[in-house]
Each structure stands twice: as C-alpha cells, then as structure tokens.
Amino acid sequence: MADAVRGASALPKISFEFFPPATPKASMALWTAVERLAPLGPDFVSVTYGAGGTTRDRTQSAMVAIRDRARLDVAGHLTCVGATRDQVMSVAQSYAQIGCRSIVALRGDQPGGGAFEPHPEGFSGSVDLIEALAEMNRFKIWVGAYPEPHPEAATPNADVEHLKRKIDAGAHGAITQFFFENETFLRFRDAAVAAGIDAPIVPGILPVENFKRMCSFADRCGTTVPKWMHKAFGNAETEADHDLLSVAICSEQCDELISEGVDRLHLYTMNKPDLPYQVCSALGVETVPMRVAASAG
C-alpha cells in the first residue's frame, strides 16, 4: 500500500466538496455520500453556493445537517455575483450564527456566461469580498486558485498576481480548480512562492465519475484534459472498467503530489462517494467510526 512506503505520518489532510440537494432524492444521495466519506476523518467539508444566492437556503440547510449529524467542520461557499453587499454579508452573518468557522469566498460566474459585471450595490470582485469577510474576524477564509489560466486571465501570470491580492486581503489559503497534469500544479505552486505567497495552496482533485460530462465541464473552466486520458477512457468498455481506471489515475495523481510535498488534498465528490472513498483507501487513509448525532423527537 502507498502509506507503507511513505509512512502513515506522511498522509495528507483530506477535505471534500459537496453541493446542496435540490430534491428529496438528492438529499438522500447527499447524506449517503456524507455517511460514506465522514469515517475518513476529513479536515473539513465544503458546500457550494449558487450564483446570486440561488441555493442559499439549501446550502445552509445542508451545512447544518452535515455539522449536526456527522459532526464535521463545514465550510460554506459564498459568492458575490448578482447580489448587493448587504445580501452577501447577510449570508456571511447567517453562517457565523450557525457556527460555521470557514468560508470558501469566490467571485462567482455571471449567470448565462460572459464577463463578470459587479452589482451596482455589490462587491467589485473577490478581493473586495475577502476584505469585508476578514474585517468580521469570524472565519478562516479559503479562496479559489487556477493552476491553468482562468478564461478571463489577461496575462500568463495574472492568476498568480490575483491570488496574491486575495491572500493579502485576508485569505488563509487557496483551493485550486481541478487539473490532471501534476506539473501544471507544481509550476503554479513555484510561481506562487516566487510571488511571495506563503499560504497553503491545496490541490483540487476530481475523480472522474463520467468522462464525457467531465470533458464538457473542463472545457468551460479552462482545464486541459490530456490526450492520454481520452485514449484511456475510450478503451474502457464497461462502467466497471471506467471506474477502475478513474480510481487508478486519481490515486496515482494524488500519490505523486504527496511525494512532491503536498500535505492537503481537496476532493470534488459530485455527491457521489464511491470513487473518492476508493482513492482515499488506495492512499492509505484509514477510517474511524462516524458518530452520528441522534435525531430529536
């Protein structure tokens, strides 16, 4: 096993991302995912937030349920696109009131696509948002980072420069967009260090649950899907072959990152726990019993 070579002390801290459910069936799927992954002892889990607050109530409900029932540290996502300053800060206050200690602060994408347009009464962007959150002095603030050029990046070094501004504004650390070539992340990490960034930069890792759907998403966010992945998944004849390949690729990616000194990994679960669980198991992450809170009544 991987940890037999590295030693258990070298295992990274793990975190997971979930998204809020839209239907009762999706709620069951989310809780199934949480039950499956919580015994892996994540450092924290995050719950995403729709543009303009479109999932505000569902995000907060999911956060409370995960925290109270699974006893996990939950970070709430928060975006500022399409909302006033008061609306955004009201959400932040509500997070604080339910005991949330961490926020993933993001600008957010413009609904319908196109360039970001600040709300007339809103934040000018992520840096402005981070400064306001930092003034509250209530949260550990995580931000996004882009190892490959963001679709709106004007220069090759724009993403590093923007990350530096976010860290200087009060962010604790960054979680990256997913990527598949580790050299991409390592070059970005080196460039960040050279720019004076000493905050943690956590690789965002995506076990591929559906290759075709992933490629479409990657195209929208500027993530390169290597040719060898197209060939490998093209040769996967069954769903079982696909999943086995996905776990093997993702586990190898994570193991290489750990060997390069990465001590944290953030896995995007898509609310489907089996592949993230198998990847963590392959890395040697051990499970502990999950203490589920008793229901009231």
Side-chain angles (χ1 to χ4, degrees):
M1 295 178 63
D3 65 308
V5 177
R6 292 191 303 269
S9 62
L11 290 176
K13 290 183 178 179
I14 301 292
S15 54
F16 299 112
E17 180 182 286
F18 301 106
F19 59 82
T23 65
K25 182 178 180 180
S27 294
M28 291 297 297
L30 171 61
W31 184 244
T32 297
V34 172
E35 283 188 313
R36 177 85 159 135
L37 297 174
L40 293 169
D43 186 48
F44 70 92
V45 301
S46 66
V47 181
T48 62
Y49 183 81
T54 53
T55 67
R56 171 179 173 171
D57 292 340
R58 289 187 282 118
T59 293
Q60 189 160 311
S61 295
M63 290 167 60
V64 171
I66 293 171
R67 183 202 63 191
D68 290 350
R69 294 185 63 189
R71 305 185 188 280
L72 296 176
D73 185 8
V74 185
H77 283 222
L78 184 62
T79 66
C80 62
V81 63
T84 68
R85 293 178 71 98
D86 287 346
Q87 289 171 332
V88 174
M89 295 310 291
S90 175
V91 176
Q93 290 286 359
S94 69
Y95 284 179
Q97 289 169 3
I98 64 173
C100 177
R101 297 178 294 176
S102 300
I103 278 183
V104 180
L106 306 165
R107 188 199 69 184
D109 296 324
Q110 197 72 25
F116 172 73
E117 297 180 11
H119 189 285
E121 300 175 21
F123 290 100
S124 62
S126 56
V127 174
D128 195 15
L129 170 61
I130 294 158
E131 289 174 344
L133 293 173
E135 287 178 3
M136 292 180 67
N137 198 29
R138 298 290 297 271
F139 305 104
K140 177 184 289 185
I141 304 170
W142 292 96
V143 297
Y146 296 85
E148 296 181 87
H150 187 280
E152 297 175 26
T155 66
N157 205 45
D159 293 302
V160 172
E161 294 169 351
H162 190 51
L163 177 58
K164 180 67 163 59
R165 289 193 289 271
K166 291 191 283 189
I167 298 299
D168 290 345
H172 165 83
I175 300 170
T176 78
Q177 179 61 271
F178 70 94
F179 58 93
F180 295 110
E181 297 281 17
N182 285 343
E183 283 298 318
T184 299
F185 171 80
L186 296 174
R187 283 194 297 269
F188 181 81
R189 185 180 68 174
D190 289 347
V193 171
I197 297 173
D198 59 3
I201 301 176
V202 183
I205 304 298
L206 179 66
V208 179
E209 184 268 331
N210 180 295
F211 184 74
K212 183 177 180 179
R213 190 158 54 232
M214 179 279 294
C215 287
S216 177
F217 181 52
D219 184 61
R220 294 196 301 272
C221 62
T223 297
T224 300
V225 181
K227 291 182 179 179
W228 62 262
M229 285 188 68
H230 285 274
K231 182 176 181 180
F233 279 100
N235 290 333
E237 296 181 355
T238 67
E239 183 176 345
D241 291 339
H242 179 289
D243 290 353
L244 185 63
L245 176 62
S246 178
V247 172
I249 289 174
C250 192
S251 300
E252 182 177 5
Q253 179 183 19
C254 292
D255 196 53
E256 289 178 353
L257 289 169
I258 294 167
S259 71
E260 292 287 347
V262 168
D263 60 2
R264 291 174 177 265
L265 297 169
H266 187 74
L267 275 69
Y268 297 109
T269 72
M270 310 305 291
N271 288 10
K272 296 183 178 181
D274 289 346
L275 297 184
Y277 184 93
Q278 291 176 54
V279 169
C280 290
S281 180
L283 295 175
V285 179
E286 297 183 354
T287 60
V288 296
M290 187 178 77
R291 296 184 301 161
V292 178
S295 299

